[in-house]
Amino acid sequence: MRTSRPHQPLTYDVRLPDEAQADALRLLDASKAVVNQALTLLWPCLDEFGRERVGPAWKQVGKYMGSPKSHGDRQWRCESETVGRILRQQAERKKTFELVQPILSDGFIRPKTEKRPAGKNRPAIKEAVTSLQKSLEEDETSFVALHNVIEQACNFFFRTDRFPTRYEELQPLPLLKVGMLTYAGDDGREKGQAYRLALDVDAGVARFRFRYPDEAGIWHWRKVDTIIPLPDCLKERLDDGELMAPTLREERRADGERFAVLDFTVEVEKEVLPAWESVERVLGADWGVHVER
């Protein structure tokens, strides 16, 4: 029987005010370079990150390496926490690949015809994933995760005319394309050495301060707090939930604009789902667009 946790994290991203953008983006650029260098060095150790998942990810990274470019101890902790989380996620995905690799077959590929290019045989994939999931018994690998890895393997087939035999063939080195830095490796929002965060829910604002490199590459604390207005939906969640360490992240628009956002993550109790028979409407969401080949 599948088990589920009683709580779940919800994330709300808030764009930093304009006066903090330049400093935040320099910070994200610097940390991205360190994260990507560490990912490159540790990618051959991927299996180790699948065997051990107890404790903070930065401690696991620390067993293998120190900072390739020191910006401060807690800054490196935050960077290595980012690295460790990525590697742990990839290690879990590799385990999913190892479950589906034995069932990868030409039956998942819809042959090319005069009127239609080759594509994915989605009914066959769905049937195979359903059958595989039933055979896993206590394994908690989700239908979506299994299906997603098979689709990635099919994309590999379209490029190479064969299915991958190893996860490292399927998955390129997962380097960051935009900056991302979790502050979970620091000492908390009141005593942090890489950031400080204070909430005034009644006033509807957060006061955020962080270390960053200036244009000459010298690291400083920002001299003044960055005042971040809190959206109403976040204030409501903070009434009942527990605020977790934030993540500073870069976003890019189609026109090339870059800007920094702070992700506020709140752990809340899971809502009790209604009985399926009583549901009248269902809202579905997809994270991408299927491209038929």
Side-chain angles (χ1 to χ4, degrees):
M1 180 177 178
R2 295 178 184 274
T3 58
S4 60
R5 296 178 180 177
H7 294 82
Q8 64 180 2
L10 299 177
T11 299
Y12 301 85
D13 61 312
V14 182
R15 179 168 175 159
L16 294 188
D18 291 345
E19 62 268 19
Q21 284 291 328
D23 294 342
L25 288 172
R26 279 197 300 273
L27 165 59
L28 287 169
D29 286 342
S31 62
K32 180 178 69 173
V34 172
V35 167
N36 283 345
Q37 190 171 350
L39 285 171
T40 301
L41 292 171
L42 294 178
W43 187 241
C45 305
L46 180 61
D47 290 343
E48 297 302 318
F49 285 84
R51 296 189 184 101
E52 180 184 342
R53 294 184 60 85
V54 178
W58 64 263
K59 287 188 176 181
Q60 192 172 3
V61 171
K63 293 180 180 179
Y64 298 94
M65 64 178 294
S67 175
K69 187 176 292 185
S70 180
H71 299 145
D73 179 72
R74 293 306 187 269
Q75 177 69 24
W76 166 238
R77 273 196 191 182
C78 295
E79 291 161 348
S80 57
E81 179 70 21
T82 303
V83 171
R85 290 184 179 188
I86 292 172
L87 290 173
R88 285 180 174 183
Q89 291 165 358
Q90 288 294 330
E92 287 303 305
R93 190 170 175 83
K94 181 175 181 178
K95 293 177 183 178
T96 302
F97 170 78
E98 290 169 348
L99 292 174
V100 305
Q101 196 276 332
I103 68 170
L104 295 175
S105 72
D106 293 348
F108 293 162
I109 305 300
R110 190 189 66 241
K112 177 182 178 180
T113 66
E114 292 182 359
K115 297 183 178 180
R116 200 176 187 187
K120 298 166 188 172
N121 186 346
R122 300 193 186 281
I125 293 173
K126 180 179 179 181
E127 181 180 353
V129 172
T130 301
S131 177
L132 174 61
Q133 194 176 34
K134 289 179 180 178
S135 72
L136 296 178
E137 297 179 352
E138 297 297 322
D139 193 287
E140 294 190 3
T141 306
S142 72
F143 179 95
V144 172
L146 294 166
H147 195 283
N148 184 264
V149 171
I150 289 179
E151 291 225 3
Q152 187 180 1
C154 289
N155 291 336
F156 181 93
F157 183 94
F158 293 133
R159 295 193 303 270
T160 64
D161 203 32
R162 68 178 180 87
F163 283 108
T165 57
R166 299 184 304 110
Y167 183 70
E168 288 76 7
E169 281 187 301
L170 178 67
Q171 176 61 52
L173 181 62
L175 299 178
L176 294 182
K177 295 181 179 179
V178 295
M180 180 176 67
L181 181 69
T182 175
Y183 283 112
D186 205 355
D187 297 326
R189 59 181 183 267
E190 295 179 357
K191 299 180 180 180
Q193 298 179 40
Y195 87 107
R196 299 287 175 89
L197 182 67
L199 298 183
D200 187 341
V201 179
D202 292 335
V205 298
R207 298 179 180 275
F208 178 49
R209 189 177 294 203
F210 57 93
R211 289 183 70 246
Y212 71 99
D214 62 20
E215 293 179 349
I218 300 173
W219 286 72
H220 309 271
W221 278 96
R222 279 182 57 83
K223 295 181 179 179
V224 296
D225 291 341
T226 299
I227 308 301
I228 305 174
L230 301 177
D232 291 339
C233 56
L234 174 56
K235 289 188 288 185
E236 291 175 6
R237 290 296 185 182
L238 289 170
D239 288 339
D240 301 317
E242 179 181 353
L243 183 65
M244 304 172 72
T247 294
L248 187 65
R249 186 168 51 81
E250 174 190 351
E251 289 192 2
R252 290 185 185 177
R253 290 181 172 167
D255 62 4
E257 180 190 3
R258 305 170 64 213
F259 57 91
V261 301
L262 191 66
D263 287 342
F264 291 84
T265 301
V266 184
E267 189 174 62
V268 300
E269 289 189 8
K270 284 187 176 181
E271 298 286 345
V272 178
L273 298 178
W276 178 251
E277 294 78 12
S278 67
V279 175
E280 296 181 355
R281 295 181 179 87
V282 176
L283 175 64
D286 193 357
W287 59 87
V289 177
H290 294 306
V291 179
E292 295 292 347
R293 295 176 180 269

